[in-house]
Amino acid sequence: MESLRRQGAPARAAAWLWLAAVAAALLFVLRQSSGGLPLETNVLALLPQTEHNRTAERAVHALADSLGNRAIFLVEHADAARARALARQFAANLESSAVFARVSAAAPRIDPELLTGFYAPHRFSLLSAADRAAMADGSYDAAARLARRMYAPFSAGVPTAPAGDPFGLLQSFLSALPLLQSSLSVEDGMLVAHAGTRTQVLVLAELQGSAYDPPVQERVSAAVAQAEAALQAAGAVLLRTGGVFYGQAARAGAEREMDWIGAGSLAGITALMWLLFRSLRPLLLSLATVAAGVVCAAAAVLAVHERMHLITLVFGASLIGEAVDYAIQYFAAHLDAGPGWEPRRGLARIFRGLLLALATSLIGYAALAAAPFPGISQIALFAFAGLAAAWLSVVLWLPLWVTQPTRRDAGRALAWPRRVLSRWQQARPRTALWVLAAGLLVCLPGWLQLFPDDDIRLLVARPAALVEQEYRIRAAAGMNAGGRFFLIEGADAESVLRQEEQLAARLRARAGAPGFIATSDFLPSAARQAENRALIARALPVEQGVALLEQAGLRAGALAQWRQDAGAAPAPLTLADWRASPLSVPFRHLLLDTPGGLASIVPLLGDAGDSGLAALAQDLAGVTLVDKAASVSALLGQYRGWIGLWLALATAIVYGVLCLRYRPRAAGAVLLPTLAGLGCALALYGYSGLPLTLFALMALLLVLGVGVNYAIFLVEAGAAAPAPFAGVLVSAATVLLSFGLLALSSLPALRQFGCMLTAGVACAVLAAPLAPLFGARA
Amino acid sequence: MRKLLAAVLLALGAGGAAADPAADRIAQRLARTLADTPVLRAEFEQKKDMAAFSKPLVTRGNFVFARGTGVLWNIEAPLKLAYVISDERIVEIAADGKVQVKSGQDVRGLAQVGRLFRALLGAQSAELAENFDAAGSESGPAWRMELRPKSAQLAHYLKRIELSGAQYVEALRLEESAGDVSSIRFTRLRAATELDAGERERFALR
């Protein structure tokens, strides 16, 4: 208590104030996560705006929203009838679970009356692409078309009245409408595909609530699992896809990983600290500083962002290993001082080192926190707040609470670190130089083999089973994935529709181009309607049509009506007509009102990678291909370049900071082990064939921050002090443990991050005694 | 016929096991007969009475029912037009020999059209039961079967279908709700063991 009094009231007040602040942060976090931690599983939320065009960015979200709340299933069975019956049963089971807003095994109910009611008055202005081509090249044979319509035993498609549409022009237009938005065929009123000898039946479900809402995810997966069990008992296979399944899997995976990375880190820290200190007190107090760090980090993230990204959650668990460093150094100093421990002087001795260590770590994260990339800046914010809070806790709390000298015998505790250190000290700088040169030679070929990877899939944990099912569903249904579409912008509906028609014609003419949904198929431009009218008048003149119909025996009344309709000129169908019709409901998200007029989205069906698609629209004003995945990859590549530059700049800044305390040559010596660590890690990446990603480079930034700490702690303690070196070894071990565990994450980005960090930190810590060897002195 | 098939495509009525016992017996009898008949040939006459046309539209021709393969529908008069109907595709052969293949991918629901067409010709109850309520009556070898649509949506287009025959289906009458009536009469029905070369060639068209 004597020492406490000597420490003075201000320090005590600051400690209590900080405790109150941490408690407030804890309350805030608890309040924010009363219904479970608010987690973000939507990948789009993690990504920055990639499109320079605001409308394109809006379109990406409009499409994602329209698809996101759907779950798509295929029920597969060897017997077609059984597959259909099971699909109906499956849909009924899902429906009765009351988890979904709507479940349907039926093909979309398209009311033929609605279709003919909307289009029939305009039938002399509407043509299917095939009929238009036939009329344009003169191969249209009205007599043959009439005969077929009258005598064929059947016709497929939308029924129209024979008297009103005797030549089947309207029927062929209606049948060509992309009403089903997929390449499945209708059998028994269900959407069906055949995979080899097996039959697949489509079941669509609409979620009640957001696909990214954890309770919705839980309910959906439970209901589907139950309905799937019934299917499996009947010998059927269920394929599923939808944002809700990916979201659920990602969230469950991230929570699982956070649990075992957190538990693994804590267990490792406990074991290592017990090994070194053999006392419960340092262990508990260190964990308290880590807890304060994690709480403040979570509070900072939740204060700035509405939800925490999964990637932050997993990363946060591994930050424990770094945040505990400051406490370890403090207790190492405590151990080193032996019976002569005096809290204030103890802190004073290591304070500069701790401050320098914090500054170098924060430099690494500071740039990332400012990045306009929500996923990355959130990680950086978490780390920034966490490390700062842990550091403050060490500096403010530990001098108050660690007042008694240690009872542990420093000599015994430090026997092993002392041996390692003395081995280094026996080495001469000249030998070390040779080792460095040799290392450089060994690393060089590795560096030359480095190659980049900027795939968007780095950011998402996609369980292989789900990916395979999605692939099979896409293959069968050719459905719109939402990631790739053409955007057509114009001042008014007419100009947008005309550009879209040109685009559609080019897409149809291109072999191997993916299918698409174009609003202009439902609502031809006024110009196209006039063109159709002229074509029909030329290929099927009213009098010729009348003669053919008369010959076929059409009654006088029907004939007169046909003649009148063919000769009339009704106002063309307009955007207002289309938007007012219930037919447009499933397609409304394809049209966006923009400040500059109107924009239309033409989603591409299926994933057929066609690199020439963008060129298709190059000379069409206002038409662009938007490919979110490609944009994100390009952006990741750009960031990779920037972070590479920042790494170089940050190294220079760290050197500058070191120069404030050390002479330039000594500062270089302090930096040397870290540079060795960076070099070795990069070479290991090259040799092992791991791709160099944005996240691996981010890890190098951390290696820079952490690696310099070790050298600083050693140099600050003086050349032959085994206690700080023991602290460094324990620190490095905890970092290696927690980030090493990160290397096992299912998120490729975190895996990359973990691998690089582990390699870099391992090399940096082994090389840390180089710093005092090359003459760095406090 | 046209309207019926088109309407069936759009009908979403869920199926269930059909029918009264007599209809079941008739269907089973026909199924047994057809099981022993790899190929069935016949002449047909189709008569359509349509409200909009002053005279009935009469079509004559022949048809071949090949078990497990499909149906050939050859119209001889008033124009030459042939259809090859199988599970996966419908092939149209015009008078000038021009061939047009339509697969399920081209025209949605085509496979369904083919299946239903074959089901009607073969009185295959399971296929029909999904969309219709059936009632049957027998007197000696002769039988009649009446089909009424199950769903209101189908009933909007189709009032009833009547099938009759003895060993095979011999007549088919289709009443649309709008008043149009189609009837098909099959004559000279004869069983065979295999398709001839010309028929095989047509079934092989892709």
Side-chain angles (χ1 to χ4, degrees):
Chain A
M1 285 304 106
E2 176 70 6
S3 62
L4 255 184
R5 217 164 298 131
R6 257 184 290 143
Q7 210 148 12
R12 235 183 359 227
W16 286 113
L17 212 61
W18 176 238
L19 188 63
V22 172
L26 179 63
L27 281 177
F28 174 71
V29 171
L30 288 179
R31 211 197 58 184
Q32 293 293 309
S33 56
S34 54
L37 200 60
L39 288 178
E40 182 63 80
T41 51
N42 186 353
V43 183
L44 273 188
L46 189 82
L47 300 176
Q49 288 224 344
T50 48
E51 310 305 325
H52 302 300
N53 182 336
R54 294 261 312 275
T55 309
E57 197 67 37
R58 257 181 73 203
V60 167
H61 287 270
L63 264 189
D65 288 347
S66 83
L67 296 175
N69 67 344
R70 283 201 312 190
I72 303 168
F73 304 93
L74 278 186
V75 174
E76 187 184 290
H77 196 277
D79 179 64
R82 193 99 181 86
R84 293 197 297 271
L86 285 170
R88 280 196 195 97
Q89 186 57 47
F90 175 74
N93 284 347
L94 287 190
E95 184 104 65
S96 66
S97 71
V99 169
F100 296 93
R102 216 171 61 87
V103 185
S104 174
R109 194 178 269 272
I110 300 145
D111 185 355
E113 304 257 302
L114 200 61
L115 271 177
T116 48
F118 183 71
Y119 286 115
H122 302 274
R123 65 188 186 281
F124 288 97
S125 305
L126 303 170
L127 283 176
S128 66
D131 282 347
R132 188 165 49 249
M135 286 190 167
D137 69 18
S139 64
Y140 183 80
D141 182 347
R145 291 291 295 269
L146 178 63
R148 202 166 304 157
R149 187 135 159 78
M150 287 168 67
Y151 299 112
F154 49 76
S155 74
V158 182
T160 55
D165 184 34
F167 298 96
L169 291 176
L170 178 62
Q171 186 173 45
S172 125
F173 171 81
L174 295 179
S175 303
L177 290 178
L179 287 167
L180 297 177
Q181 305 186 50
S182 86
S183 55
L184 294 164
S185 57
V186 182
E187 290 174 23
D188 262 0
M190 306 176 88
L191 290 170
V192 173
H194 296 278
T197 60
R198 297 176 73 80
T199 300
Q200 302 172 321
V201 184
L202 185 88
V203 177
L204 279 178
E206 252 168 55
L207 303 182
Q208 222 160 24
S210 163
Y212 304 110
D213 189 14
V216 171
Q217 292 172 353
E218 291 304 322
R219 285 200 299 272
V220 166
S221 73
V224 171
Q226 204 174 13
E228 186 183 15
L231 281 183
Q232 281 169 342
V237 176
L238 180 70
L239 304 176
R240 86 214 66 192
T241 192
V244 68
F245 301 113
Y246 281 111
Q248 204 266 346
R251 187 174 53 81
E255 281 174 350
R256 206 168 45 237
E257 281 170 17
M258 182 196 72
D259 286 349
W260 58 254
I261 290 176
S265 300
L266 287 179
I269 289 170
T270 307
L272 287 164
M273 292 193 64
W274 181 258
L275 218 64
L276 187 58
F277 301 116
R278 301 292 161 102
S279 162
L280 216 53
R281 197 176 169 80
L283 178 62
L284 292 180
L285 286 174
S286 300
L287 292 183
T289 63
V290 170
V294 170
V295 164
C296 292
V301 166
L302 291 179
V304 175
H305 302 270
E306 202 174 317
R307 289 159 174 229
M308 192 182 281
H309 294 309
L310 294 176
I311 202 165
T312 311
L313 187 71
V314 178
F315 175 84
S318 66
L319 192 73
I320 295 173
E322 201 185 345
V324 79
D325 277 10
Y326 310 119
I328 290 176
Q329 278 307 311
Y330 190 88
F331 283 108
H334 181 233
L335 179 66
D336 200 27
W341 173 253
E342 202 277 312
R344 208 173 48 165
R345 283 231 309 276
L347 178 64
R349 225 184 88 206
I350 60 167
F351 184 78
R352 278 168 183 277
L354 284 182
L355 187 61
L356 211 53
L358 177 71
T360 53
S361 289
L362 294 191
I363 286 171
Y365 286 114
L368 296 183
F373 195 134
I376 293 177
S377 71
Q378 205 184 69
I379 286 182
L381 175 64
F382 190 98
F384 202 98
L387 290 181
W391 187 89
L392 272 177
S393 306
V394 168
V395 170
L396 294 176
W397 292 346
L398 294 192
L400 280 187
W401 294 338
V402 186
T403 52
Q404 301 301 316
T406 180
R407 282 194 294 273
R408 176 129 165 90
D409 175 9
R412 256 192 35 223
L414 301 171
W416 184 76
R418 193 192 304 278
R419 270 204 304 279
V420 177
L421 202 59
S422 67
R423 182 75 46 85
W424 267 108
Q425 259 152 5
Q426 280 155 18
R428 280 190 315 226
R430 180 187 292 253
T431 324
L433 269 181
W434 280 114
V435 171
L436 278 180
L440 201 67
L441 272 181
V442 172
C443 284
L444 204 62
W447 294 340
L448 295 176
Q449 285 168 42
L450 286 171
F451 65 96
D453 178 9
D454 304 312
D455 199 307
I456 180 184
R457 274 162 291 199
L458 289 168
L459 290 164
V460 209
R462 291 162 64 89
L466 276 181
V467 171
E468 201 242 333
Q469 293 180 44
E470 179 185 344
Y471 176 79
R472 288 172 62 188
I473 290 177
R474 289 263 196 74
M479 281 184 149
N480 161 26
R484 219 162 44 130
F485 57 90
F486 278 102
L487 184 75
I488 298 105
E489 293 170 278
D492 53 34
E494 180 64 12
S495 59
V496 167
L497 291 172
R498 289 181 69 169
Q499 292 296 80
E500 195 185 281
E501 279 159 356
Q502 286 201 47
L503 172 70
R506 292 183 190 185
L507 277 171
R508 285 200 177 93
R510 188 185 173 86
F516 58 90
I517 303 166
T519 303
S520 57
D521 280 344
F522 295 102
L523 173 68
S525 65
R528 170 60 54 87
Q529 292 182 52
E531 207 180 290
N532 288 342
R533 225 178 155 69
L535 270 177
I536 295 174
R538 211 175 62 205
L540 179 61
V542 178
E543 287 320 313
Q544 187 199 332
V546 168
L548 284 171
L549 293 173
E550 215 163 13
Q551 204 182 339
L554 192 68
R555 282 185 201 280
L559 194 62
Q561 184 66 48
W562 190 87
R563 184 204 297 268
Q564 191 191 327
D565 291 348
L573 274 174
T574 63
L575 179 64
D577 296 334
W578 170 244
R579 280 186 159 162
S581 165
L583 286 174
S584 70
V585 171
F587 306 99
R588 274 190 192 150
H589 63 279
L590 297 182
L591 291 177
L592 297 173
D593 287 306
T594 63
L598 187 75
S600 170
I601 303 169
V602 176
L604 298 174
L605 306 178
D607 290 321
D610 187 336
S611 51
L613 283 179
L616 216 56
Q618 219 152 40
D619 60 328
L620 290 178
V623 183
T624 40
L625 177 69
V626 179
D627 185 340
K628 184 72 180 174
S631 308
V632 170
S633 291
L635 193 81
L636 288 181
Q638 218 169 51
Y639 274 67
R640 189 171 44 76
W642 289 342
I643 289 214
L645 286 178
W646 172 246
L647 183 64
L649 191 64
T651 309
I653 295 175
V654 167
Y655 179 73
V657 170
L658 291 173
C659 282
L660 293 177
R661 172 131 178 91
Y662 311 109
R663 283 192 312 278
R665 196 187 144 187
V670 170
L671 202 53
L672 187 65
T674 306
L675 294 180
L678 295 179
C680 288
L682 279 173
L684 277 175
Y685 254 60
Y687 280 125
S688 59
L690 285 171
L692 194 61
T693 64
L694 170 63
F695 303 93
L697 283 173
M698 277 170 60
L700 287 183
L701 271 179
L702 250 91
V703 172
L704 178 67
V706 175
V708 172
N709 289 358
Y710 302 146
I712 293 172
F713 292 146
L714 281 192
V715 169
E716 287 293 319
F725 186 61
V728 163
L729 286 178
V730 171
S731 287
T734 55
V735 167
L736 287 178
L737 184 70
S738 45
F739 286 105
L741 287 172
L742 205 56
L744 303 175
S745 168
S746 61
L747 273 165
L750 290 178
R751 205 160 52 224
Q752 300 268 343
F753 190 88
C755 283
M756 188 59 110
L757 205 97
T758 308
V761 168
C763 297
V765 72
L766 288 178
L770 276 177
L773 188 65
F774 278 107
R777 239 161 238 97
Chain B
M1 192 65 161
R2 163 175 58 239
K3 267 203 172 173
L4 153 72
L5 293 162
V8 167
L9 289 183
L10 294 154
L12 305 168
D20 71 350
D24 264 353
R25 268 200 308 280
I26 296 164
Q28 278 165 19
R29 218 170 81 197
L30 281 167
R32 268 199 305 278
T33 315
L34 285 176
D36 300 335
T37 313
V39 175
L40 180 68
R41 296 195 178 90
E43 313 293 315
F44 72 81
E45 184 188 277
Q46 175 187 310
K47 205 174 109 190
K48 278 198 217 176
D49 281 304
M50 291 161 84
F53 289 85
S54 51
K55 53 191 183 199
L57 303 174
V58 180
T59 320
R60 282 190 198 84
N62 60 71
F63 102 108
V64 182
F65 180 96
R67 181 161 47 86
T69 311
V71 169
L72 277 182
W73 189 264
N74 292 313
I75 301 171
E76 302 282 355
L79 77 170
K80 278 187 90 73
L81 192 60
Y83 290 91
V84 186
I85 303 142
S86 58
D87 258 353
E88 309 84 42
R89 69 187 73 81
I90 292 181
V91 180
E92 185 190 274
I93 306 159
D96 56 2
K98 216 163 99 181
V99 174
Q100 221 183 355
V101 182
K102 287 179 173 176
S103 67
Q105 235 60 38
D106 298 334
V107 178
R108 296 190 182 107
L110 214 58
Q112 172 86 352
V113 171
R115 277 224 330 273
L116 192 76
F117 194 67
R118 288 164 59 190
L120 278 174
L121 295 179
Q124 288 162 1
S125 59
E127 297 283 357
L128 297 176
E130 292 198 2
N131 288 302
F132 300 97
D133 287 318
S137 65
E138 297 164 285
S139 64
W143 56 267
R144 303 179 83 73
M145 201 192 304
E146 190 190 19
L147 303 171
R148 284 181 184 275
K150 280 182 172 172
S151 73
Q153 207 181 354
L154 185 52
H156 191 78
Y157 293 96
L158 187 72
K159 209 158 109 197
R160 59 194 280 268
I161 302 177
E162 214 178 272
L163 297 165
S164 61
Q167 197 180 1
Y168 306 109
V169 177
E170 285 167 12
L172 197 156
R173 182 185 157 86
L174 203 139
E175 294 174 25
E176 290 176 28
S177 303
D180 295 353
V181 177
S182 305
S183 48
I184 304 176
R185 181 156 289 286
F186 298 104
T187 50
R188 290 190 58 220
L189 286 144
R190 55 216 185 272
T193 51
E194 58 179 29
L195 295 170
D196 66 29
E199 290 162 352
R200 266 200 300 275
E201 199 177 296
R202 292 197 149 187
F203 274 118
L205 283 172
R206 297 256 175 305

